[in-house]
Amino acid sequence: MIPVLFHLGPLTVYSFGLMMALGFLAADYVIRLECIRRGYDPEYSSSIVITAAVMGLVGSRLYAILDDLPTYLADPKTMIFSGSGFVFYGGMIGGIFGAYLVSRWYRIGFGSTMDMCGPALAIGQAIGRMGCQLAGDGDWGLVSNVPWAMAYPRAIVGWNSQTVLKLDDHYQLVSGFFPGVRVHPAPVYETILYLGVFYLLWSMRKTSYPPGRLLYWYLVLAGAARFLVEFWRINPRVFYMFSEAQLIAVAMMILGGVALILTNGQAHADSSQQHPGEKDRRPAMKTAQA
């Protein structure tokens, strides 16, 4: 682990931030490739990623604050200067809203935009989770003795009785800390799963109709990945053995699954048609307005 890479005067450069930046760059590259294939101006990808990144960071931080409001009220500076405290679900909502605004500005269909963003979201998540691994931001798992279990002694949030946890018989988190303790490397699990999600979405990008279905598949697959990993993470259980993140993941899977079912008939009807983005090769860019 290398939580802090270096300091530039008062500026601290975190490994989490570096991996987040690499995730955004990978997402931009993936969307750019799709823009070229669909006949859109490649610069559309940068507009999406920059706007979605800003809105995603805002949404991620706001979600973290609202989810743990007493902690932030006790120390407000942490919400600005902390190298941790970002929540993916808030970032996803903020990022999708940012992509919607950009699609409206450039007059490109939101469904097509989301089809391009689905694989990009997955690869961005995979890389971003490695930032959690490097920083030790508390996203690790429960105490474990599996051969690949790890310790995070230089974790940015600390490695102690408050951060090393296990479940008791009533699915309550209790301290599991002792000298030499190791835990499930949950960020590594998520990286592997999200790479798998990216591979599946990328392989479907040329055959998924109508516009928007890749986003629906993303909701199902990414939701399933997060639901599975949560069994090993140290998030509090809020409903029997299930965490809040798992309940949200279930909602994602249901939403995506229902959308896939509702569009299934249209998908079969459109499967023999040429992709609209491939038929119209004009640069789909809106001229700047005063």
Side-chain angles (χ1 to χ4, degrees), residues 46-289:
S46 298
S47 299
I48 293 175
V49 171
I50 292 173
T51 306
V54 173
M55 297 298 293
L57 290 173
V58 171
S60 179
R61 184 65 88 182
L62 285 176
Y63 189 106
I65 292 171
L66 294 175
D67 199 44
D68 193 12
L69 192 58
T71 300
Y72 284 103
L73 290 178
D75 187 9
K77 290 183 180 179
T78 59
M79 71 180 182
I80 299 175
F81 299 109
S82 173
S84 61
F86 294 94
V87 178
F88 168 72
Y89 288 129
M92 181 181 69
I93 294 171
I96 289 176
F97 179 67
Y100 170 76
L101 294 178
V102 174
S103 70
R104 294 288 293 175
W105 175 259
Y106 286 107
R107 296 178 183 174
I108 293 177
F110 183 58
S112 296
T113 299
M114 286 296 94
D115 281 341
M116 293 189 287
C117 289
L121 275 169
I123 193 66
Q125 279 181 271
I127 297 174
R129 280 307 182 199
M130 291 313 299
C132 298
Q133 175 73 6
L134 290 172
D137 65 353
D139 283 341
W140 53 70
L142 299 166
V143 172
S144 175
N145 58 3
V146 296
W148 55 87
M150 299 177 62
Y152 296 77
R154 291 187 292 171
I156 197 169
V157 298
W159 182 249
N160 49 53
S161 59
Q162 284 75 46
T163 59
V164 180
L165 305 172
K166 63 181 180 179
L167 289 173
D168 64 16
D169 294 337
H170 303 287
Y171 301 112
Q172 298 296 313
L173 290 172
V174 298
S175 177
F177 183 78
F178 60 86
V181 66
R182 297 184 301 161
V183 298
H184 283 285
V188 177
Y189 298 170
E190 289 194 75
T191 292
I192 294 171
L193 287 172
Y194 290 134
L195 285 175
V197 173
F198 168 75
Y199 173 79
L200 290 174
L201 294 178
W202 190 249
S203 66
M204 291 190 292
R205 73 191 190 282
K206 296 181 181 180
T207 58
S208 184
Y209 303 100
R213 280 179 66 86
L214 274 188
L215 175 64
Y216 308 149
W217 274 115
Y218 167 81
L219 293 174
V220 172
L221 296 172
R226 184 60 184 270
F227 182 85
L228 179 63
V229 172
E230 279 295 307
F231 283 114
W232 291 282
R233 284 185 54 168
I234 57 173
N235 287 326
R237 273 46 178 174
V238 299
F239 183 72
Y240 294 101
M241 67 176 66
F242 305 112
S243 68
E244 177 184 300
Q246 283 178 305
L247 299 181
I248 297 175
V250 169
M252 287 174 57
M253 289 187 285
I254 293 174
L255 180 62
V258 169
L260 285 171
I261 292 171
L262 292 177
T263 57
N264 188 53
Q266 187 178 351
H268 287 299
D270 292 347
S271 61
S272 61
Q273 297 180 8
Q274 186 178 20
H275 194 285
E278 295 174 338
K279 182 168 63 176
D280 182 5
R281 305 299 295 180
R282 295 172 298 170
M285 298 291 288
K286 182 177 180 181
T287 57
Q289 297 180 350

